[in-house]
């Protein structure tokens, strides 16, 4: 079209189209004529009624389409005003077309108020489903809303989350891309760029779109464009090598055979209208007799352009006259190619839909015959109402419309595959049916080839998937598909890729090194199998053995002065209690149980009180023995053997009573300590009652301090062997050990708390046996000359 300036004072010249005939569009119009002739020759559909028609070329121009719409709605065209055989002269019953959304929108706004039904075969804009704006519009091709949803699901199906998008700057491209972007966002797909262009734009603008495609990091490009716009874009891309891109196409261009020559688009996939077969159409298309050519200016123009010659009455003076040897059967053109009848079938179904609507309005079936009233003054509004109800099958293809005038959306998934000769074929590799349940719409039944002929699905993501054990952290200012992969925090895992959150493990579990699985925490306690446990157990048994050996030596020399010097009965009882002290430390080693927890603390408390009672008894004996030597003293009468035994029993009974109350009210129990260490469980004995535990320790400490004070008082008593000095040293060690024990016990973590307690037991026990019995042991075995009453009674220096 050329631009014309109008002065609005004179009638403008008639609009005309410039340029060449589009063979594919010509095939569409001829398919309409073929369908009408079939209907006019049918004895079942509209018998006795002939349909007339007029074909207009909109030239993909809104102004031409608007001009035609006014002619149709106003009855200005002379074709509709001639002859008396028409039911209603000058009125159009229905319109088929147009082949693009923008001209169709313009036409529908004009003819809609006149209730003239319009059935389009190629206008896919989702906006046309709005019955408030386009009440008389129908279409046999699915709405772009379904195609946009299908494209989004297709992109999601192959794991592409980072894509580019280009579109025609038209109602078809803008509305279709808007629907796709909305569906893509719901599928979690991010768009790096979205650019619009038109073949009418300056080349510089198209070059800017091409540059964006070349510089982008997205490997997948979704193109919602018309065939003409896509051709311009691909021609610009082919001018110099570009990075490989995986093209995803809308049905408008991805099934156009004329674009298969762009080999760098091999691997492109997209949705196309289902391929169909129309019996007899090819023969009709090839039947171009000289008379038919002469009667149609469009056919004349097509013939001359196809064979580069001119017919006799043609105005094409720059060509030679056609000599009659031209054979259309040998012509390679999209007009004669009926192997991919997709949109052509939409034209065919549109004509039949109108015919069925008219049939239902004017015909009635009586018995086995159908009677039609050819003189019925049919109104376009009646055809419109009947179109809403049509439901039939033609050549095994169902035709019906929903409340929005849309058919059921069914597509073929097509793939541009390179054949053995190197050219590209359009191969059907799957199907999409929107009427099927969610998740079952897709059926891919053949292997696809991808960009550059690859067999592996290309990857197009802004950021690689975050593996298990990490979580997504969105990058500031970028789409949600661009993120950093951050390891899960301590104690948390993620067991799925691309997780936004990590979740904590249960209390008794901890993440593995990869932080993708929760594994049971290792249970820790002081075991007989570990070095620390073995060493402590060895010292415990060694101490008990040493105590037994000492008791054996003392028993063998029980009549010797050094053994008899300080109540041998208390000495043997002390050795017995020390043996129990050594052995009770073994109850602290091993996995805690209900009985071991109660035994370890009570056994420790009672045996040590027994030990302290014996030491205290020995200290009192030393004091009373020397005080009894003073003139007039009768102390020994008040602290004889019976009183000594009673003292030991009384002090021990108090500890037994404390332990019994503790066990009855709130006994120790085994517990899993989950707080000291996050990554492991400490199996330990809970005190039950902290008051009970510290009462036991405090009572032992009280006896030790009392014993220490008495021993200090008796340390300077005259004798060559003053046992009070030995008791003083032993009590000094004992008190030092247990005073040190308290902060160490409180601050030691886990199993080391138990180890500290065992160490305190062993250290204080070894201190007692060493300080009290070692000197006597040495004299008995190695210095028997000192083991005499005279030596023991002599005053030391």
């Amino acid at each position: 079209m050329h631009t014309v300036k109008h002065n609005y004072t004179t009638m403008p010249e008639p609009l005309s189209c410039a340029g060449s005939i589009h063979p594919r569009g010509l095939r569409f119009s001829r398919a309409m004529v073929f369908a009408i002739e079939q209907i006019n020759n049918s004895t079942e559909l509209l018998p006795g009624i002939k349909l007339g028609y007029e074909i207009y070329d909109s030239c993909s121009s809104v102004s031409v389409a608007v001009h035609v719409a006014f002619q149709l709605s106003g009855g200005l065209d002379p074709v509709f005003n001639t002859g008396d055989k028409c039911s209603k002269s000058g009125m159009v019953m229905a319109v088929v077309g147009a082949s693009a959304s923008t001209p169709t929108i313009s036409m529908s706004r004009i003819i809609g108020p006149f209730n003239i039904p319009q059935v389009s075969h190629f206008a896919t804009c989702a906006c046309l489903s709005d019955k408030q704006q386009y009440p008389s519009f129908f279409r046999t091709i699915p709405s772009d809303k379904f195609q946009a949803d299908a494209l989004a699901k297709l992109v999601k199906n192959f794991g592409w989350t980072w894509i580019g998008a280009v579109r025609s700057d038209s109602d078809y491209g803008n509305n279709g891309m808007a629907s796709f972007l909305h569906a893509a966002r719901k599928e979690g797909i991010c768009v790096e760029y979205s650019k619009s262009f038109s073949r009418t734009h300056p080349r510089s603008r198209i070059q800017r779109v091409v540059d964006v495609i070349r510089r982008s990091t997205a490997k997948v490009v979704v193109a919602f464009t018309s065939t003409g716009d896509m051709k311009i874009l691909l021609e610009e891309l082919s001018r110099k090598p570009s990075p490989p891109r995986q093209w995803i196409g809308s049905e408008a261009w991805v099934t156009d055979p004329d674009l298969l020559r762009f080999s760098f688009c091999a691997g492109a996939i997209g949705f196309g209208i289902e391929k169909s077969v129309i019996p007899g159409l090819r023969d009709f298309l090839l039947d171009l007799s000289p008379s038919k050519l002469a009667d149609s200016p469009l056919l004349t123009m097509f013939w001359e352009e196809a064979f580069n010659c001119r017919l006799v009455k043609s105005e094409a003076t720059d060509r030679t006259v056609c000599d009659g040897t031209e054979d259309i059967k040998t012509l390679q053109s999209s007009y004669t190619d009926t192997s991919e009848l997709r949109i052509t079938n939409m034209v065919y179904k549109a004509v039949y839909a109108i015919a069925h609507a008219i049939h239902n309005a004017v015909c009635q079936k009586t018995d086995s015959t159908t009677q039609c009233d050819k003189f019925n003054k049919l109104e376009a509004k009646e055809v419109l109402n009947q179109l809403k109800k049509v439901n039939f099958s033609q050549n095994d293809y169902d035709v019906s419309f929903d409340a929005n005038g849309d058919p059921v959306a069914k597509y073929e998934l097509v793939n541009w595959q390179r054949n053995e000769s190197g050219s590209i074929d359009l191969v059907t590799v799957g199907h999409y049916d929107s009427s099927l349940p969610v998740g079952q719409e897709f059926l891919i039944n053949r292997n696809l080839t991808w960009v550059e002929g690859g067999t592996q699905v290309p990857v197009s993501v802004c950021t690689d998937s975050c593996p298990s054990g990490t979580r997504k952290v969105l990058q500031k200012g970028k789409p949600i598909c661009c993120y950093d992969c951050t390891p899960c925090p301590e104690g948390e895992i993620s067991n799925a890729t691309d997780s936004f959150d990590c979740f904590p493990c249960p209390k008794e579990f901890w993440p593995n090194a990869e932080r993708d699985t929760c594994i049971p925490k290792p249970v820790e306690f002081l075991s007989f199998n570990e070095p620390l446990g073995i060493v402590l157990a060895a010292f415990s048994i060694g101490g008990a053995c040493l105590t037994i050996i000492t008791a054996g030596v003392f028993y063998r020399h029980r009549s010797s002065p050094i053994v008899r010097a300080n109540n041998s009965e208390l000495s043997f009882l002390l050795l017995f209690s020390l043996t129990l002290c050594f052995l009770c430390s073994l109850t602290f080693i091993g996995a805690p149980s209900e009985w071991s927890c109660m035994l370890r603390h009570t056994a420790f408390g009672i045996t040590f009180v027994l030990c302290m009672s014996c030491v205290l008894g020995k200290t009192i004996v030393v004091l009373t023995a020397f005080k009894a030597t003073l003139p007039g003293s009768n102390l020994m009468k008040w602290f004889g053997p019976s009183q000594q035994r009673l003292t030991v029993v009384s002090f021990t009974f108090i500890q037994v009573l404390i332990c019994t109350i503790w066990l009855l009210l709130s006994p120790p129990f085994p517990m899993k300590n989950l707080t000291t260490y996050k990554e492991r469980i400490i199996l330990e004995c809970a005190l039950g009652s902290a008051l009970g535990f510290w009462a036991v320790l405090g009572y032992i400490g009280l006896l030790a301090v009392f014993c220490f004070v008495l021993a200090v008082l008796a340390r300077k008593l005259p004798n060559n062997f003053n046992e009070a000095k030995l008791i003083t040293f032993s009590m000094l060690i004992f008190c030092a050990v247990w005073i040190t024990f308290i902060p160490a016990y409180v601050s030691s973590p886990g199993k080391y708390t138990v180890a500290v307690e065992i160490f305190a037991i062993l250290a204080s026990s070894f201190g007692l046996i060493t300080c009290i019995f070692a000197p006597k042991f040495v004299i008995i075995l190695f210095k028997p000359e000192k083991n005499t009453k005279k030596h023991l009674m002599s005053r030391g220096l």
Side-chain angles (χ1 to χ4, degrees):
M1 296 289 298
H2 60 279
T3 303
V4 179
K5 292 184 179 181
H6 301 288
N7 55 17
Y8 303 101
T9 58
T10 58
M11 182 71 69
E13 295 181 3
L15 294 171
S16 61
C17 297
S20 60
I21 290 291
H22 193 287
R24 192 182 183 207
L26 181 60
R27 189 179 72 208
F28 295 162
S29 65
R30 294 286 291 165
M32 188 189 83
V33 175
F34 173 72
I36 291 174
E37 291 188 2
Q38 272 191 336
I39 294 167
N40 288 341
N41 294 326
S42 174
T43 59
E44 296 181 357
L45 186 61
L46 292 174
I49 294 180
K50 302 294 182 182
L51 298 178
Y53 64 89
E54 178 74 359
I55 298 175
Y56 292 90
D57 186 0
S58 68
C59 307
S60 297
S61 168
V62 173
S63 57
V64 175
V66 168
H67 180 75
V68 171
F70 277 118
Q71 284 183 307
L72 297 177
S73 59
L76 299 178
D77 197 288
V79 172
F80 296 103
N81 291 319
T82 57
D84 297 327
K85 295 181 179 180
C86 293
S87 62
K88 193 168 185 180
S89 179
M91 292 302 295
V92 177
M93 293 297 104
V95 175
V96 176
S99 292
S101 293
T102 300
T104 301
I105 290 171
S106 301
M107 291 183 66
S108 186
R109 291 188 184 277
I110 295 171
I111 65 177
F114 295 95
N115 295 314
I116 300 175
Q118 178 183 13
V119 185
S120 177
H121 57 283
F122 212 179
T124 58
C125 179
C127 59
L128 287 165
S129 298
D130 185 354
K131 286 298 148 187
Q132 296 293 325
Q133 297 190 60
Y134 313 102
S136 66
F137 178 78
F138 301 83
R139 53 183 155 200
T140 51
I141 190 170
S143 164
D144 281 338
K145 177 185 181 303
F146 299 103
Q147 183 180 195
D149 290 343
L151 285 172
K153 291 175 181 177
L154 178 70
V155 172
K156 182 67 174 179
N157 181 68
F158 292 113
W160 299 320
T161 57
W162 187 239
I163 63 170
V166 294
R167 66 188 187 277
S168 292
D169 191 10
S170 63
D171 289 296
Y172 168 74
N174 293 328
N175 285 280
M177 183 57 71
S179 298
F180 169 75
L181 294 179
H182 177 71
R185 278 193 296 270
K186 292 196 295 185
E187 296 289 346
I189 299 166
C190 300
V191 180
E192 183 181 7
Y193 59 88
S194 179
K195 298 295 181 181
S196 65
F197 68 98
S198 173
R199 60 181 178 274
T200 60
H201 287 164
R203 184 186 171 193
S204 59
R205 178 166 175 177
I206 297 175
Q207 283 177 331
R208 286 197 295 271
V209 175
V210 168
D211 290 339
V212 170
I213 296 173
R214 284 175 174 152
R215 292 195 308 266
S216 70
T217 58
K219 303 295 190 299
V220 174
V221 183
V222 176
F224 222 108
T225 67
S226 65
T227 296
D229 290 341
M230 195 65 188
K231 179 181 177 183
I232 297 297
L233 180 68
L234 295 181
E235 285 176 348
E236 190 63 37
L237 275 168
S238 65
R239 294 181 185 276
K240 65 179 182 178
S242 300
R245 293 289 182 263
Q246 176 64 51
W247 290 92
I248 311 297
S250 61
E251 40 73 32
W253 69 269
V254 80
T255 56
D256 189 346
D258 292 340
L259 298 182
L260 296 178
R261 59 189 176 89
F262 295 101
S263 59
F264 62 88
C265 289
I269 58 174
F271 289 106
I273 303 303
E274 289 184 306
K275 188 166 55 177
S276 58
V277 175
I278 303 177
L281 177 62
R282 178 172 173 78
D283 294 337
F284 179 81
L285 294 175
L286 298 180
D287 183 18
L288 294 181
S289 62
S291 60
K292 290 183 179 180
L293 293 175
D295 291 341
S296 172
L298 289 178
L299 291 177
T300 299
M301 186 182 300
F302 165 70
W303 188 277
E304 291 179 344
E305 289 181 358
F307 297 106
N308 196 25
C309 65
R310 63 182 176 88
L311 296 174
V312 177
K313 295 182 180 181
S314 171
E315 297 178 358
T317 57
D318 57 339
R319 296 189 180 109
T320 59
V321 178
C322 300
D323 57 9
T325 60
E326 298 83 14
D327 186 1
I328 195 172
K329 294 180 181 179
T330 62
L331 182 65
Q332 297 295 321
S333 168
S334 57
Y335 172 80
T336 58
D337 184 8
T338 57
S339 61
E340 296 282 342
L341 294 181
R342 300 178 188 274
I343 307 303
T344 304
N345 192 42
M346 300 297 104
V347 178
Y348 187 74
K349 292 199 295 185
V351 175
Y352 266 90
I354 294 172
H356 275 272
I358 297 174
H359 179 93
N360 294 338
V362 301
C363 300
Q364 291 183 346
K365 190 172 184 180
T366 58
D367 297 331
S368 59
T369 61
T370 301
Q371 299 293 329
C372 298
D373 184 4
K374 66 175 67 178
F375 298 106
N376 180 24
K377 299 300 183 180
L378 187 64
E379 297 284 346
K381 185 176 182 178
E382 195 170 350
V383 178
L384 173 64
N385 292 331
Q386 291 297 332
L387 261 175
K388 299 175 182 179
K389 307 173 187 177
V390 296
N391 190 345
F392 63 94
S393 180
Q394 185 70 28
N395 293 339
D396 296 328
Y397 299 107
D398 296 330
V399 180
S400 63
F401 304 106
D402 64 13
N404 296 321
D406 295 322
V408 175
K410 294 182 180 180
Y411 297 100
E412 286 182 349
L413 182 62
V414 296
N415 184 208
W416 290 19
Q417 297 187 3
R418 199 181 298 274
N419 57 28
E420 295 179 357
S421 64
S423 60
I424 296 176
D425 292 333
L426 194 63
V427 180
T428 300
V429 294
H431 296 273
Y432 178 88
D433 188 345
S434 65
S435 64
L436 294 177
V438 177
Q440 302 178 22
E441 305 98 331
F442 271 112
L443 174 63
I444 299 178
N445 52 21
R446 189 166 175 177
N447 291 332
L448 286 80
T449 60
W450 304 101
V451 58
E452 296 186 317
T455 56
Q456 296 294 322
V457 179
V459 176
S460 185
V461 294
C462 181
T463 306
D464 290 332
S465 294
C466 288
S468 301
T470 62
R471 65 183 179 94
K472 291 181 177 179
V473 177
L474 299 181
Q475 296 177 0
K476 188 175 181 180
K478 291 190 176 182
I480 61 171
C481 300
C482 301
Y483 46 82
D484 296 317
C485 298
T486 303
C488 287
E490 188 180 58
E492 297 183 5
I493 68 163
S494 66
N495 54 7
T497 56
D498 292 332
S499 176
F500 276 102
D501 295 301
C502 300
F503 54 89
C505 289
K507 287 185 178 181
E508 296 188 13
F509 290 80
W510 192 253
N512 58 356
E514 292 77 22
R515 299 189 180 182
D516 59 2
T517 304
C518 290
I519 58 176
K521 291 181 180 179
V523 178
E524 184 179 272
F525 57 88
L526 189 58
S527 168
F528 286 104
N529 298 323
E530 60 180 298
L532 182 58
I534 293 172
V535 170
L536 293 175
F539 274 99
S540 177
I541 295 172
C545 292
L546 179 62
T547 307
I548 293 171
I549 292 172
T550 303
V553 171
F554 272 53
Y555 182 76
R556 186 175 181 182
H557 298 87
R558 62 186 177 278
S559 58
S560 63
I562 199 168
V563 176
R564 296 177 62 190
N566 191 246
N567 197 330
S568 60
E569 184 178 342
L570 286 178
S571 295
F572 284 114
L573 187 58
L574 178 58
L575 288 171
F576 171 72
S577 63
L578 284 173
T579 303
L580 294 180
C581 287
F582 279 116
L583 293 178
C584 80
S585 62
L586 295 177
T587 63
F588 289 82
I589 305 175
S593 65
E594 186 175 350
W595 285 103
S596 68
C597 286
M598 290 189 291
L599 179 63
R600 62 172 60 171
H601 290 102
T602 53
F604 151 70
I606 292 172
T607 55
F608 261 81
V609 165
L610 178 60
C611 182
M612 289 297 99
S613 299
C614 293
V615 175
L616 183 59
K618 290 175 72 66
T619 307
I620 295 173
V621 167
V622 172
L623 276 174
T624 54
F626 280 95
K627 295 293 183 181
T629 58
L630 298 175
S633 176
N634 57 353
L635 285 177
M636 287 304 296
K637 179 177 67 173
W638 297 101
F639 201 75
S642 299
Q643 287 78 9
Q644 295 171 19
R645 296 189 195 100
L646 182 61
T647 301
V648 172
V649 171
S650 299
F651 285 134
T652 304
F653 175 76
I654 294 173
Q655 185 73 309
V656 171
L657 185 63
I658 294 173
C659 290
T660 302
I661 295 173
W662 182 16
L663 294 180
L664 290 176
L665 296 181
S666 182
F669 58 90
M671 180 190 74
K672 293 180 178 179
N673 184 344
L674 303 174
T675 58
T676 302
Y677 295 104
K678 295 179 181 179
E679 72 281 0
R680 60 183 185 269
I681 299 173
I682 305 299
L683 197 59
E684 62 187 15
C685 286
L687 297 176
S689 172
L691 180 61
F693 174 72
W694 292 110
V696 168
L697 277 186
Y699 184 63
I700 296 172
L702 180 64
L703 292 181
V705 171
F706 187 38
C707 187
F708 177 69
V709 171
L710 293 180
V712 170
L713 294 175
R715 73 187 187 282
K716 293 186 178 180
L717 294 177
N719 208 334
N720 205 20
F721 181 80
N722 187 355
E723 196 175 36
K725 294 180 179 179
L726 303 180
I727 294 173
T728 302
F729 285 123
S730 65
M731 287 299 99
L732 193 61
I733 294 173
F734 184 90
C735 292
V737 167
W738 285 101
I739 290 172
T740 308
F741 159 78
I742 294 174
Y745 177 84
V746 172
S747 61
S748 296
K751 64 182 180 179
Y752 297 105
T753 304
V754 179
V756 167
E757 194 166 355
I758 295 173
F759 176 79
I761 293 171
L762 294 178
S764 56
S765 299
F766 273 112
L768 287 173
I769 193 172
T770 302
C771 292
I772 295 176
F773 294 99
K776 299 177 183 179
F777 190 84
V778 172
I779 290 174
I780 292 172
L781 294 183
F782 303 108
K783 298 180 179 180
E785 70 278 3
K786 294 184 179 181
N787 191 3
T788 62
K789 186 175 182 180
K790 180 181 178 181
H791 178 76
L792 295 175
M793 296 299 294
S794 62
R795 186 179 296 271
L797 297 176

